[in-house]
Amino acid sequence: MKNKLIELKNITKSFDQQEVLHNIQLYIRPNEFLTLLGPSGCGKTTILRIIGGFEEADSGEVIFDGKDIAKLPPYKREVNTVFQKYALFPFMNVFDNVAFGLNIKKVSKAETKKRVLEMLKLVGLEGFEKRKIDQLSGGQQQRVAIARALVNEPKVLLLDEPLSALDAKLRKEMQMELKKIQKKVGITFIFVTHDQEEALSMSDTVVVMNHGNIQQIGTPIDIYNEPKNRFVAEFIGESNIIPAIMKKDMLVAFDGVDFECVDSGFAPNEEVEVVLRPEDLVLTPPQFGKITATVTDITFKGVHYEIILKGEHRDYKAQTTEYHEIGTELGISVIPSNIHVMHKMKEV
Amino acid sequence: MKHYRSMISPYVLWAFGFIIIPFIMIMVYAFTDGGLSLTDAGFSLDSFAEMTDSLYFTVFTRSFSTGILTTLLCLFIGYPMAFFITKFDERVQGTLILITTIPMWINLLLRTYAWIGILSDNGLLNSFLKMLGIGPVSIMYTGIAVNIGLVCNFLPFMILPIHTSLSKMDPSLLEAAYDLGANKVQAFTRVIFKYSIPGVLNGVIITFLMAISAFVIPKMLGGGQFTLLGNLIENQFISVGNWNFGAAVSLILAIVILAAISFLKRIDPDGTV
């Protein structure tokens, strides 16, 4: 199996002298579910549009299957897109929408019908062929858009925040559904979202972006457990980020206490930052903790409580299933493997 | 809602007095043979029979063919203009639309006199052709002059609804067409044009109706040589004094217009354009 289906080399793009993509290097493997994740304006949609052919990069190469396609118009590319607002043709029914690409390619009537019906079945819209677009719910329109793209058997499906217009429950359903469809058709999905939970639960690979730069590329587990810098740690999930000194390998000091950890390879006494996920803070009676702190706020979140504790140096955010009265003094400790040490982020 | 219903009663009265009654009068005159008098008139279909006279039949066919030609010319000139206008950003579009409608703010008679100045034998056009050494052309008082006048007069009514249709189109529809393999021509014929069809039909019907019922332009630019339905009706009422025949022709024209409008309502029920 070839390892790189799409490769972006040194991609740079500006709009009105504003640089939106800065020297992007990225490759995408066949059959993977890759998510471009970042806050709005980070350049994720621009990357998608460059792959789709709707924008041209100012410099750099877009290699697709070994060929540079940077200058190829969208209709000559083996990719299809699911647009953010679906962009279904309002004057056509569901069948004609899905059949659009096949009609353009002059596929025979019988073959078109077979493939369209198959695709509608795949997305769970059997029997909807004759429906008008404005008679469909948001979720159904979403499915039509996916069917319309997939029926062309692209090598890559580009999805531009396709779930952002759906309500929370439907979005969860569609996440599962999309993942299932991707497994079934076995092609590469490139998914753009600003929703970190969506990215973590669906992707094989997550690309975290900010200000036109790639911050980190990795599996969802890597990204969550081993964030490379402060931005990634803050953007993905909740975290306590604490300035620290790496005394030596496997020993880090913060808030006046030495902690054993599992990180190494830093310079002695290097200034670093430590990420502690709220669920990794172990709350104990004060005498057993390495840090002592007082509960100042507690919020019920369903499965757990979220607690804010005030210590000598800072506030800590913790999650626990036990209730603690406001004003209670508690001890905090963390097991070594849950302490994640990062290089200090250069101020941008 | 009920509360406000009484507020429209003045309008109902007004409509009854100035629209319904005259329309009933037209029907009465069309189906009687008493001339101006209604007292000694009897039911008659003579006026409709008279229309089959080849002289009048020519006026009908000329009116319809002029209407069709004007509409087609307006469509072929107006569609590209409307399409071109949508390529600009919104503020510029507003200005361009204003420019296309400026002639509508000038009195119809003045505009038509301007055309006489341009098209007449010693007019601007011929002076210009003379400079190029091309011989004078006699356009005034022909069908060509009437058609030029009609097209220029009704062009905005074609451009506006088409532009409205096109400017409502989400640009991502076009991207979706390209994405699904359509080239520029296919994207135009299969997506852009189809999207604008309600606007096109609106423009076509409005232009056609106004063109077949026009009478000032054909009178002034056709100089009595190019009689259309509007002129025929005007002549019957004002010069000939055959109100029965004039009313019958008016009735036919009214039926055509009503049929066209009800068709328009059917294809575009919300009046979205």
Side-chain angles (χ1 to χ4, degrees):
Chain A
M1 191 167 83
K2 273 180 302 174
N3 230 359
K4 295 173 180 175
L5 178 62
I6 298 177
E7 194 175 5
L8 302 181
K9 284 185 182 166
N10 312 318
I11 294 287
T12 304
K13 175 79 184 170
S14 303
F15 291 118
D16 301 329
Q17 272 116 54
Q18 184 93 23
E19 196 168 70
V20 291
L21 290 179
H22 177 75
N23 200 24
I24 295 291
Q25 314 279 354
L26 175 68
Y27 66 86
I28 297 152
R29 286 185 293 260
N31 311 333
E32 80 173 326
F33 197 121
L34 179 132
T35 300
L36 299 168
L37 173 67
S40 58
C42 72
K44 55 193 192 299
T45 296
T46 309
I47 290 189
L48 200 75
R49 291 174 62 82
I50 285 172
I51 297 173
F54 301 114
E55 304 284 357
E56 203 179 306
D58 298 336
S59 64
E61 290 171 75
V62 183
I63 314 287
F64 187 96
D65 241 357
K67 287 185 284 282
D68 188 357
I69 59 162
K71 301 276 181 227
L72 224 53
Y75 60 88
K76 288 189 180 156
R77 299 189 181 200
E78 284 176 284
V79 300
N80 284 110
T81 309
V82 175
F83 292 87
Q84 189 166 12
K85 282 174 275 159
Y86 319 138
L88 299 173
F89 304 122
F91 43 82
M92 294 179 191
N93 62 20
V94 169
F95 184 95
D96 291 335
N97 261 285
V98 178
F100 188 90
L102 300 178
N103 288 339
I104 294 271
K105 290 184 198 87
K106 305 225 158 34
V107 175
S108 77
K109 275 238 157 65
E111 166 91 7
T112 300
K113 189 169 180 191
K114 188 175 139 260
R115 278 166 67 180
V116 170
L117 293 182
E118 252 173 38
M119 203 43 74
L120 287 175
K121 194 173 168 191
L122 178 76
V123 299
L125 285 179
E126 264 179 306
F128 281 74
E129 304 85 82
K130 294 275 177 280
R131 289 282 191 100
K132 283 191 179 165
I133 296 306
D134 56 14
Q135 295 171 332
L136 299 178
S137 69
Q140 289 165 340
Q141 293 191 13
Q142 173 74 80
R143 287 157 195 266
V144 176
I146 292 166
R148 184 179 70 173
L150 284 178
V151 80
N152 302 292
E153 296 172 353
K155 287 194 175 151
V156 177
L157 186 69
L158 308 176
L159 302 108
D160 184 10
E161 305 218 21
L163 307 182
S164 59
L166 304 179
D167 63 62
K169 191 163 176 288
L170 199 53
R171 193 177 332 174
K172 285 256 161 55
E173 271 175 44
M174 281 307 294
Q175 286 175 17
M176 311 263 281
E177 186 97 10
L178 270 177
K179 186 77 202 160
K180 225 167 70 191
I181 291 172
Q182 191 253 344
K183 286 242 169 70
K184 218 166 186 173
V185 296
I187 61 166
T188 304
F189 276 35
I190 305 177
F191 189 91
V192 163
T193 184
H194 60 265
D195 183 330
Q196 43 107 358
E197 194 201 321
E198 208 164 272
L200 294 181
S201 57
M202 298 170 77
S203 323
D204 300 319
T205 307
V206 178
V207 179
V208 185
M209 294 187 62
N210 192 29
H211 293 310
N213 289 293
I214 293 180
Q215 302 291 331
Q216 186 169 1
I217 304 176
T219 65
I221 294 171
D222 279 351
I223 299 270
Y224 188 83
N225 288 340
E226 310 284 330
K228 261 196 187 148
N229 58 36
R230 189 186 185 101
F231 174 80
V232 178
E234 279 178 340
F235 195 73
I236 314 281
E238 307 260 6
S239 46
N240 298 287
I241 296 175
I242 302 168
I245 303 287
M246 197 70 189
K247 288 200 158 169
K248 56 178 187 183
D249 282 356
M250 319 273 188
L251 191 68
V252 63
F254 56 87
D255 293 352
V257 187
D258 287 352
F259 284 84
E260 279 177 45
C261 64
V262 293
D263 299 83
S264 55
F266 293 85
N269 292 320
E270 186 181 337
E271 285 187 32
V272 292
E273 283 177 312
V274 164
V275 181
L276 303 175
R277 296 292 183 187
E279 67 271 22
D280 293 336
L281 297 189
V282 182
L283 302 179
T284 61
Q287 64 273 25
F288 300 122
K290 299 192 104 169
I291 299 170
T292 51
T294 314
V295 177
T296 58
D297 191 36
I298 181 160
T299 314
F300 179 60
K301 292 280 186 183
V303 181
H304 61 266
Y305 293 97
E306 190 172 282
I307 297 187
I308 308 292
L309 299 121
K310 194 169 178 56
E312 188 192 335
H313 295 273
R314 70 193 66 255
D315 286 355
Y316 305 90
K317 190 185 276 180
Q319 287 173 0
T320 165
T321 50
E322 279 163 49
Y323 181 77
H324 297 280
E325 203 73 51
I326 289 177
T328 316
E329 200 171 54
L330 293 171
I332 299 172
S333 54
V334 192
I335 64 167
S337 62
N338 282 339
I339 296 178
H340 174 62
V341 182
M342 309 182 294
H343 288 283
K344 212 172 173 99
M345 200 173 171
K346 288 177 212 87
E347 296 302 326
V348 184
Chain B
M1 278 310 275
K2 246 187 194 149
H3 189 74
Y4 295 105
R5 197 166 284 174
S6 58
M7 291 179 74
I8 64 162
S9 54
Y11 174 73
V12 173
L13 268 179
W14 187 88
F16 190 75
F18 293 98
I19 299 173
I20 310 284
I21 293 180
F23 196 74
I24 292 172
M25 297 284 281
I26 289 175
M27 296 226 276
V28 170
Y29 277 115
F31 289 103
T32 54
D33 58 0
L36 280 176
S37 154
L38 285 175
T39 46
D40 54 357
F43 177 80
S44 152
L45 290 173
D46 287 357
S47 303
F48 292 95
E50 203 179 334
M51 272 181 234
T52 53
D53 185 303
S54 69
L55 182 68
Y56 300 125
F57 192 72
T58 318
V59 175
F60 269 92
T61 50
R62 188 190 291 140
S63 261
F64 277 89
S65 58
T66 304
I68 290 167
L69 184 63
T70 302
T71 307
L72 287 179
L73 287 172
C74 281
L75 181 61
F76 287 119
I77 299 167
Y79 198 102
M81 281 176 78
F83 185 70
F84 180 69
I85 289 171
T86 54
K87 296 284 164 203
F88 291 88
D89 66 59
E90 233 154 88
R91 274 214 343 267
V92 183
Q93 283 192 35
T95 315
L96 290 174
I97 284 293
L98 187 72
I99 290 170
T100 62
T101 55
I102 278 180
M104 287 162 68
W105 305 101
I106 301 166
N107 184 290
L108 174 63
L109 280 174
L110 284 181
R111 261 182 291 157
T112 315
Y113 273 118
W115 274 115
I116 295 176
I118 293 168
L119 298 177
S120 65
D121 289 352
N122 306 314
L124 269 177
L125 179 69
N126 273 322
S127 315
F128 179 69
L129 289 178
K130 205 171 177 183
M131 264 166 47
L132 297 178
I134 311 170
V137 288
S138 193
I139 298 179
M140 224 20 228
Y141 308 124
T142 64
I144 299 172
V146 174
N147 264 312
I148 291 175
L150 291 174
V151 167
C152 288
N153 198 33
F154 299 137
L155 199 53
F157 296 94
M158 186 64 89
I159 294 175
L160 285 178
I162 294 175
H163 174 263
T164 309
S165 249
L166 286 174
S167 62
K168 277 192 306 192
M169 194 176 102
D170 181 352
S172 67
L173 288 186
L174 195 56
E175 289 189 348
Y178 291 143
D179 185 75
L180 294 166
N183 58 32
K184 288 204 159 172
V185 177
Q186 288 167 322
F188 178 79
T189 54
R190 291 179 191 222
V191 175
I192 299 174
F193 185 72
K194 281 204 175 143
Y195 193 89
S196 65
I197 280 177
V200 169
L201 286 175
N202 246 304
V204 162
I205 290 174
I206 293 170
T207 310
F208 179 71
L209 291 182
M210 292 199 304
I212 57 165
S213 55
F215 71 97
V216 173
I217 292 171
K219 188 178 179 185
M220 289 173 64
L221 298 180
Q225 316 291 310
F226 198 79
T227 310
L228 298 185
L229 278 178
N231 308 105
L232 179 64
I233 295 168
E234 190 203 9
N235 288 341
Q236 293 304 314
F237 278 99
I238 290 172
S239 343
V240 182
N242 187 349
W243 284 33
N244 300 116
F245 185 59
V249 178
S250 300
L251 195 60
I252 298 285
L253 193 56
I255 288 167
V256 171
I257 291 173
L258 285 176
I261 288 174
S262 66
F263 175 67
L264 191 64
K265 279 262 185 269
R266 232 184 43 217
I267 51 154
D268 188 24
D270 323 317
T272 45
V273 173

